[in-house]
Amino acid sequence: MHRREFLTLAAGLPFLAQSRKGPIAEIPADVLEDKIRGGLLGQVIGDLNGLEHEMKYIGEPGNVQEYTPALPEGAWTDDDTDIEWPYVLEMQRTKTIMLPYTQITEVWKKHINRGMWSSHLYLRQLMDLGIDPPLTGRAELNPWADFNLAGQFTSETWGLISPGMPQTAARIGIHYTHVSVVGEPIQSTQMIDAMIATAFFSSDMEHILNAGAAAVDPKSTMSRIIADVRQWARENPKDWRATRKLTKDKYCLYGGDDWRDRNGVWLNGASTIAALIYGAGDFVETVRHALNFGWDADNNAAASGAILGVIKGNKHLQSQGWKIKDQYRDTSRDDVPQDETITSYGDRLMAVAEANIIRRGGSKATVRGKTVYRINAEQPGNVEPLADPEKRRVALRAEFRGQIEKGVTSGANTREKARAAYLAICLDFAPAMKDRHPRQWSQAIQSLASYPRVMQVIFYEAPVPAGEAIRQKANAAGLETPAQIKWWV
């Protein structure tokens, strides 16, 4: 058995050491805890302080001159943190890092029924039809999935529980974000998680940005965005507005008001990268720049805030004199703890992080009377490359052709028939089903129409052009456009 060598700990800082089996990262337990709590607090501050700036700066950037972080009434549930929260609760309860997708569906049905938008609102209704992840995050079935920012704003936790393990962080992240997205947004997940995981062992922003760049498919738009924003910032080191204009001119692809611009990963991912650069390692300045870059600003402030929070640590953030009440108030989730605080949420992350470290071959040890974690450190890299959308669609049609016909002709209940009808509409089997099995198809369409919330997202909560294509196919298949209602806010 080979003896592993570790560097001597000094000043409470983490170090990397090379063993014969590979790199080992050794970090004092109190430092790790401080960084996880700092990352959570930075994420929460960025998210909630950013809400008043969300979607305010589209054509032009914001003009926030001064900014002081504050949570005087404490934190509350918002979708930048409260989608991950029920996952963490279930991970703790079951002692499982990668929850099976059928179990994730049950988590959603139990906890997440309101306070959701865009891809999350759409996928929650698909679950009621018996469609489980990752199908809920497939662009063929969910018209938000190939651009939605959920690839970024539900990813931070997985970096926080994977210190020094950027590929592990990305692998966990894409498992959970595939619930809602596919394609380019999955590249965004990997970028954010790799940067957060790397920030535990480096405060060098160039190094952290390099990790994000290494985590994405080099063929992706996100890869080009990272390179472009970094180059524009080098050319305009004192003029963030110039970089913002260059970003908008090249990557605002749909006129600005389209949700693919406002709520997509490209402009918002670029804003997050720019905030990290122009913030120059300062927490306040990083969040302020994220707000000013605009678009879906709260999400970008949360992601960049999480990275700076890991770098600075909780003690540093708490020492700044900001008004922060230790509370995490539930305003949107069902059957969750009503006494949660930022501290207790951090406790949960610490417990899951320890389990994840050990799961990946690390350990917890005592060195000269001090508790440390020994982590199997990883280099960042692209875990999931981009897939060819047409090949993906062809494979999906082949997989579900038989299931759809069986569901239409002999579905055992309303849900099975409704599920088959929805899949047939989205995968272009509806005309054939309508011709071959007119009576059973009519019953299947009636079954689908009996799910009013599914009907609402199809006809009123789906973006163009993908949503419009589904609506047209649904009408042609025999579904009538329903009256509009809202229930989820």
Side-chain angles (χ1 to χ4, degrees):
M1 180 173 164
H2 297 300
R3 184 173 65 91
R4 295 186 174 188
E5 300 295 336
F6 296 91
L7 295 180
T8 302
L9 301 174
L13 296 176
F15 287 90
L16 288 175
Q18 185 72 34
S19 78
R20 295 181 186 178
K21 291 186 177 181
I24 301 300
E26 190 173 87
I27 183 170
D30 59 344
V31 174
L32 179 66
E33 179 176 352
D34 187 54
K35 287 180 174 293
I36 289 176
R37 293 188 186 280
L40 174 63
L41 181 58
Q43 178 187 0
V44 171
I45 288 173
D47 172 29
L48 299 180
N49 287 182
L51 285 175
E52 66 179 289
H53 303 276
E54 182 181 24
M55 301 299 181
K56 294 288 181 65
Y57 319 126
I58 305 298
E60 297 296 330
N63 191 35
V64 179
Q65 297 292 327
E66 295 185 2
Y67 162 66
T68 301
L71 294 171
E73 302 302 319
W76 63 91
T77 50
D78 182 65
D79 61 357
D80 199 280
T81 56
D82 70 6
I83 301 296
E84 294 151 284
W85 185 33
Y87 291 155
V88 172
L89 295 173
E90 187 70 2
M91 291 160 78
Q92 262 197 303
R93 187 185 72 81
T94 63
K95 298 179 173 58
T96 303
I97 299 296
M98 306 280 266
L99 298 172
Y101 279 129
T102 54
Q103 192 172 352
I104 287 175
T105 294
E106 293 309 309
V107 168
W108 276 77
K109 289 182 175 181
K110 182 178 180 180
H111 299 294
I112 308 175
N113 301 293
R114 52 199 169 91
M116 51 191 170
W117 294 269
S118 305
S119 188
H120 289 148
L121 176 62
Y122 204 100
L123 76 86
R124 176 62 185 84
Q125 314 323 310
L126 296 185
M127 288 176 172
D128 284 345
L129 292 179
I131 298 173
D132 292 321
L135 288 176
T136 53
R138 294 292 292 269
E140 296 83 359
L141 307 183
N142 181 339
W144 295 90
D146 64 352
F147 70 85
N148 184 243
L149 190 55
Q152 175 172 309
F153 74 76
T154 60
S155 65
E156 295 98 337
T157 292
W158 320 124
L160 292 178
I161 67 167
S162 306
M165 301 183 290
Q167 291 196 43
T168 292
R171 192 168 289 109
I172 297 170
I174 61 181
H175 177 75
Y176 288 101
T177 56
H178 263 312
V179 175
S180 56
V181 293
V182 72
E184 286 283 349
I186 292 297
Q187 304 308 308
S188 180
T189 296
Q190 295 176 88
M191 174 184 75
I192 296 297
D193 279 328
M195 291 195 294
I196 292 173
T198 300
F200 280 90
F201 290 92
S202 177
S203 61
D204 182 340
M205 193 54 67
E206 285 296 302
H207 183 59
I208 292 168
L209 291 168
N210 287 342
V216 303
D217 187 331
K219 301 187 301 294
S220 67
T221 301
M222 190 58 65
S223 179
R224 295 195 298 274
I225 285 172
I226 297 170
D228 281 344
V229 171
R230 295 177 79 177
Q231 179 60 34
W232 294 331
R234 283 191 289 269
E235 294 169 355
N236 302 281
K238 303 296 184 182
D239 189 357
W240 65 267
R241 292 177 183 273
T243 295
R244 205 269 188 184
K245 184 178 187 305
L246 288 164
T247 299
K248 175 178 174 289
D249 288 348
K250 183 169 182 178
Y251 292 106
C252 183
L253 303 177
Y254 305 102
D257 289 331
D258 191 295
W259 280 109
R260 288 171 292 178
D261 286 332
R262 296 159 69 97
N263 187 239
V265 293
W266 301 289
L267 291 170
N268 290 292
S271 298
T272 303
I273 294 297
L276 291 170
I277 295 170
Y278 285 102
D282 181 271
F283 180 87
V284 173
E285 284 300 290
T286 297
V287 173
R288 186 176 73 86
H289 278 90
L291 303 180
N292 278 330
F293 259 75
W295 294 294
D296 211 336
D298 61 317
N299 297 308
N300 309 328
S304 55
I307 292 167
L308 266 294
V310 170
I311 293 171
K312 298 297 184 182
N314 187 57
K315 292 177 183 176
H316 172 83
L317 298 185
Q318 296 283 5
S319 71
Q320 301 305 298
W322 305 328
K323 295 180 179 179
I324 298 173
K325 182 178 180 180
D326 187 19
Q327 183 177 29
Y328 185 76
R329 188 174 73 256
D330 174 40
T331 63
S332 55
R333 298 293 161 244
D334 301 325
D335 197 16
V336 290
Q338 295 302 302
D339 59 348
E340 193 81 295
T341 63
I342 300 172
T343 296
S344 63
Y345 195 159
D347 292 342
R348 300 184 194 282
L349 294 182
M350 274 298 301
V352 177
E354 180 175 307
N356 193 33
I357 290 167
I358 293 170
R359 166 181 170 266
R360 298 301 302 169
S363 62
K364 189 177 182 179
T366 300
V367 177
R368 290 185 292 279
K370 191 175 183 67
T371 304
V372 300
Y373 286 95
R374 292 170 171 170
I375 298 167
N376 277 331
E378 301 166 353
Q379 292 298 314
N382 182 233
V383 173
E384 182 175 313
L386 285 172
D388 182 292
E390 184 55 33
K391 289 182 180 178
R392 191 179 62 212
R393 179 177 178 81
V394 168
L396 200 63
R397 280 173 54 84
E399 179 181 355
F400 284 97
R401 183 190 304 270
Q403 286 189 35
I404 289 169
E405 186 148 21
K406 181 179 179 181
V408 169
T409 58
S410 58
N413 51 49
T414 298
R415 190 177 79 161
E416 287 186 12
K417 294 175 182 178
R419 179 180 186 270
Y422 184 79
L423 291 173
I425 289 167
C426 292
L427 297 178
D428 297 318
F429 290 118
M433 294 295 104
K434 189 176 182 180
D435 287 343
R436 288 206 298 266
H437 311 288
R439 181 179 60 81
Q440 293 98 325
W441 179 253
S442 178
Q443 292 173 349
I445 284 295
Q446 291 174 18
S447 295
L448 182 55
S450 72
Y451 284 81
R453 295 182 178 184
V454 175
M455 296 290 284
Q456 288 296 306
V457 295
I458 292 174
F459 287 99
Y460 297 107
E461 299 298 328
V464 295
E468 183 58 29
I470 292 176
R471 285 188 284 273
Q472 291 177 3
K473 290 190 287 188
N475 284 146
L479 282 177
E480 296 183 2
T481 303
Q484 186 173 10
I485 59 174
K486 286 190 176 184
W487 75 93
W488 59 86
V489 293

